[in-house]
Amino acid sequence: MIKIMSFYPLRNLGKVTQEFYDDKAVITSKSLNYEGQSEFSYSDVGEINYNFHSHTEERLFGFFTIFLSSLISSLFWEWLYNHTFWLKVVQIAFLGGMVIYIVSYIKHWYVRIINKNGVFLTGFWENRRNKNLILDAIEKIKAKSVDVEETSSADPFPTSSPVFEHSYFTFSSIENTDDKFYDEKIIGLQKGIYREQSYKIKYDDLSGKIHRGKESDGFQWTAFEWCFLILLTISTLRLSFGVQFGESRLYVIYALGIIVAASWLSAFIKREVFGFYNKNGQIEYWAYVNRRDKEKVEKIIEFVRSRIPAETTAEEQ
């Protein structure tokens, strides 16, 4: 039996124990607000997916620590200057929060185990301590699962040339997506500041129904987070560290206000989208349409419909 234990202090002190037996895995999860257990058979596994992800919890914790230290320095700056010990505490908290926030953007190797219906079963954050255990667990799964596929964001595309390619940039998540359409499936790669993730969609899983529409792609939340972070940093450096910015501070604040206002206006700009429904009536594939690619997108839609089994398309109609 292979046992992998993980501790997530920023997820309500969560603890996950993954036990891999001869023919099944048992996952036990405990935290301050949840306890549960699940299991799956290796024969149900259809895909092992390797990606790079950053830690959202660390980023939120770092941001909250920066915000809290800045708020305290703004409200009690005079008292802090008369109590050096607590001033040092606020300074250390601010610097620690800044380090945690910046480091949270570093992407780490994450392995997902997915069943044959595309449902997530379990996952691993790989590190030096559990790397060999994860490899042993994966080998155990592969030995018992028939036709299990391995996909990786490091090398997601096969050597054969695709029939079509479609690329677009998503402002809201700050990432670029490359989708390649092959004879039997779609393989995509999303790369941005938060993640590098690959995925695949088989034409056999699609119903033939097409999704069309327009949706916002505003970057207001990201712009607000970064601008607010800069504002907190200026305030804390001035009040807790004695850094003087002079009149340049006002120009920076005006610029940040303009950026935030422009980003909120961007939320009302809609971009054309298209997609394909699966057999359960849910959108399985979804993408933005660039203005220069409208004609190519129509060809992609016709190609995908031609690869869907005729009986499936007939049932949808």
Side-chain angles (χ1 to χ4, degrees):
M1 188 266 289
I2 301 170
K3 178 184 286 188
I4 301 175
M5 302 180 66
S6 304
F7 180 59
Y8 304 100
L10 300 181
R11 296 182 185 177
N12 296 311
L13 301 179
K15 180 181 178 182
V16 178
T17 303
Q18 299 158 306
E19 298 174 311
F20 293 86
Y21 298 92
D22 290 336
D23 58 352
K24 69 175 183 179
V26 178
I27 316 300
T28 304
S29 302
K30 291 183 179 182
S31 69
L32 293 178
N33 61 350
Y34 175 80
E35 287 189 22
Q37 187 177 83
S38 62
E39 64 178 58
F40 63 88
S41 299
Y42 301 147
S43 58
D44 295 332
V45 176
E47 180 184 354
I48 302 173
N49 184 257
Y50 307 88
N51 295 303
F52 286 104
H53 282 263
S54 62
H55 288 288
T56 303
E57 293 84 2
E58 290 182 5
R59 186 163 62 254
L60 293 176
F61 179 77
F63 187 89
F64 177 76
T65 304
I66 294 170
F67 170 75
L68 188 61
S69 59
S70 178
L71 180 64
I72 293 174
S73 64
S74 298
L75 296 177
F76 306 104
W77 63 272
E78 187 173 356
W79 183 87
L80 289 172
Y81 269 95
N82 294 324
H83 298 79
T84 308
F85 172 78
W86 292 109
L87 177 62
K88 294 297 182 183
V89 170
V90 172
Q91 292 175 338
I92 292 172
F94 171 78
L95 294 175
M98 186 64 70
V99 170
I100 293 173
Y101 183 84
I102 294 173
V103 171
S104 72
Y105 281 92
I106 298 176
K107 294 186 280 286
H108 301 271
W109 202 237
Y110 184 67
V111 184
R112 298 189 301 164
I113 308 299
I114 304 169
N115 70 13
K116 289 181 169 59
N117 295 320
V119 178
F120 174 83
L121 296 174
T122 190
F124 319 93
W125 287 101
E126 184 181 293
N127 54 50
R128 294 179 181 178
R129 292 175 305 215
N130 66 13
K131 181 177 180 180
N132 291 331
L133 291 175
I134 291 176
L135 293 176
D136 292 339
I138 290 174
E139 289 303 317
K140 188 180 284 287
I141 293 173
K142 289 164 60 177
K144 296 289 184 177
S145 181
V146 180
D147 298 329
V148 61
E149 291 190 64
E150 293 185 273
T151 57
S152 170
S153 61
D155 186 23
F157 302 114
T159 55
S160 58
S161 299
V163 180
F164 288 101
E165 294 185 41
H166 180 62
S167 300
Y168 59 93
F169 186 82
T170 305
F171 293 95
S172 57
S173 56
I174 314 179
E175 66 182 10
N176 188 72
T177 301
D178 293 314
D179 292 326
K180 297 189 179 183
F181 297 78
Y182 296 89
D183 288 332
E184 297 181 352
K185 57 189 172 184
I186 305 168
I187 300 178
L189 176 63
Q190 297 169 318
K191 295 184 68 174
I193 61 173
Y194 302 116
R195 63 180 180 178
E196 294 181 19
Q197 177 173 289
S198 63
Y199 55 88
K200 64 176 181 61
I201 300 171
K202 295 182 179 179
Y203 301 132
D204 291 345
D205 297 331
L206 303 179
S207 66
K209 184 180 178 181
I210 310 301
H211 169 74
R212 296 179 187 269
K214 290 186 177 182
E215 296 192 17
S216 168
D217 184 27
F219 57 97
Q220 67 274 20
W221 292 112
T222 302
F224 176 78
E225 176 187 338
W226 290 351
C227 289
F228 191 44
L229 181 66
I230 294 173
L231 189 62
L232 293 175
T233 302
I234 292 174
S235 175
T236 306
L237 290 178
R238 186 172 69 90
L239 296 175
S240 295
F241 292 86
V243 179
Q244 299 300 319
F245 294 94
E247 293 185 359
S248 60
R249 174 171 59 92
L250 297 177
Y251 294 117
V252 173
I253 293 174
Y254 294 150
L256 295 177
I258 293 173
I259 292 172
V260 170
S263 68
W264 279 99
L265 291 175
S266 72
F268 298 97
I269 301 175
K270 293 177 287 187
R271 296 175 62 186
E272 187 175 345
V273 299
F274 79 103
F276 305 104
Y277 286 85
N278 61 22
K279 295 176 182 177
N280 295 323
Q282 300 175 329
I283 298 177
E284 185 74 13
Y285 173 83
W286 180 97
Y288 284 111
V289 180
N290 302 316
R291 291 183 179 180
R292 66 178 184 275
D293 294 333
K294 288 187 176 182
E295 184 176 343
K296 183 176 69 173
V297 165
E298 294 302 321
K299 293 180 180 179
I300 290 174
I301 291 173
E302 291 303 317
F303 169 75
V304 172
R305 287 181 64 89
S306 70
R307 306 305 301 176
I308 298 173
E311 59 273 15
T312 301
T313 306
E315 290 176 5
E316 184 62 30
Q317 294 175 344

